[in-house]
Amino acid sequence: MQLIDFLAPHFQFVSDPTAWVALLTLVVLEIVLGIDNLIFISILTNKLPEAQRARARRLGISAALVMRLVLLATISIIVQLTTPVFTAFGHGFSWRDLILIAGGLFLVWKATKEIHHTVDPDDHQDTMLGGTLQISLAGAIFQILLLDLVFSIDSIITAVGMTDEIAIMYIAVIVAVTVMMLAAGPLANFIAKNPSIVMLALGFLLMIGMTLIADGMGYHVPKGYIYAAMGFSALVEGLNMLARRRKKARTGDGH
């Protein structure tokens, strides 16, 4: 009974239709924000030995869930991350800005290295960890955790801006990360089976990294533009894949 009495005030929103609209909107937003994280995890885990890929994805996404829930528990501290700590070039930089800039630089560096390796696969010394096609499980998890932190902070600040109901935030985060968990395997397999998608996904990561840096510097780029560009690029690549498949089928019929 004590647990029910403790939780009851947090679930008073169930009788409020506007709260349900906020919950649905926030779930969709959290899922969309998770796409960036999911692309990075999929590319990174595909560089592991096949037997370790599923485990790495589960660990990485589970860590993302734990990180988001912990950040929600310290929400008063997270909100203060938007308070400027110093001013430079006429812009007040907060801890959130600095984390976004650092995360963006990491993504740009990572994507650039991977693009270079994809274009010139013989240059084994220029990969992320000095390896060839594979990295260690610990290395993959460490990189995923770094980006989980960046995307988690952005995700939670978005949630705070959407609603004041802490229960809605928790539900939205849990649902979104569950969808990520379910989609991670199919997405990673799709990327592995379609090599041309890798370059497109790396291009997405490069664009997302630059967007994070711009956001941290005070130049906000509406997310709608980013996802519209990603959607259009994915559509064009889908048409190219369809064209290649049909051409291959016709060539096969000719023989």
Side-chain angles (χ1 to χ4, degrees):
M1 287 296 293
Q2 290 182 343
L3 180 62
I4 294 175
D5 292 338
F6 173 75
L7 293 175
H10 297 292
F11 285 89
Q12 290 179 348
F13 73 89
V14 295
S15 58
D16 183 3
T18 57
W20 283 99
V21 173
L23 174 60
L24 181 61
T25 306
L26 189 54
V27 166
V28 173
L29 271 176
E30 293 293 325
I31 290 172
V32 171
L33 286 171
I35 291 172
D36 311 345
N37 212 168
L38 203 52
I39 291 173
F40 180 80
I41 290 172
S42 298
I43 290 177
L44 202 57
T45 53
N46 278 348
K47 297 174 75 65
L48 290 168
E50 192 168 352
Q52 295 181 345
R53 291 175 188 174
R55 182 185 173 202
R57 285 194 294 268
R58 285 195 300 270
L59 286 172
I61 296 173
S62 298
L65 175 59
V66 171
M67 207 170 289
R68 281 164 168 78
L69 295 180
V70 168
L71 290 174
L72 276 174
T74 58
I75 203 161
S76 58
I77 298 173
I78 298 302
V79 172
Q80 292 175 9
L81 289 178
T82 57
T83 305
V85 290
F86 69 90
T87 302
F89 308 110
H91 173 64
F93 288 88
S94 65
W95 282 111
R96 172 186 175 272
D97 294 334
L98 297 177
I99 291 169
L100 288 181
I101 291 170
L105 288 171
F106 175 76
L107 264 186
V108 169
W109 177 61
K110 173 66 177 173
T112 303
K113 287 286 187 181
E114 294 299 333
I115 288 172
H116 176 77
H117 177 66
T118 303
V119 172
D120 186 11
D122 294 328
D123 187 3
H124 300 320
Q125 299 304 313
D126 208 23
T127 54
M128 178 73 177
L129 299 176
T132 54
L133 291 176
Q134 296 183 346
I135 58 177
S136 70
L137 178 62
I141 295 299
F142 176 71
Q143 292 177 59
I144 290 170
L145 285 175
L146 281 179
L147 263 294
D148 275 348
L149 175 63
V150 176
F151 288 125
S152 292
I153 288 175
D154 217 22
S155 168
I156 298 309
I157 290 175
T158 299
V160 171
M162 278 290 301
T163 180
D164 295 325
E165 292 284 351
I166 191 73
I168 289 179
M169 296 181 204
Y170 271 106
I171 293 170
V173 165
I174 292 170
V175 170
V177 175
T178 301
V179 171
M180 283 175 64
M181 188 77 78
L182 295 173
L187 178 62
N189 292 335
F190 181 72
I191 288 175
K193 291 176 182 176
N194 297 275
S196 62
I197 294 293
V198 174
M199 188 63 74
L200 181 65
L202 289 171
F204 288 165
L205 290 181
L206 201 57
M207 179 171 63
I208 293 163
M210 292 302 298
T211 304
L212 290 175
I213 294 170
D215 202 351
M217 296 292 290
Y219 301 97
H220 179 66
V221 181
K223 294 284 186 184
Y225 294 159
I226 303 301
Y227 294 122
M230 289 171 67
F232 180 74
S233 301
L235 176 62
V236 171
E237 180 59 27
L239 292 173
N240 281 332
M241 289 170 60
L242 181 62
R244 285 195 297 268
R245 189 174 293 119
R246 289 189 172 181
K247 184 177 180 180
K248 187 177 180 180
R250 283 200 302 269
T251 304
D253 292 341
H255 289 300

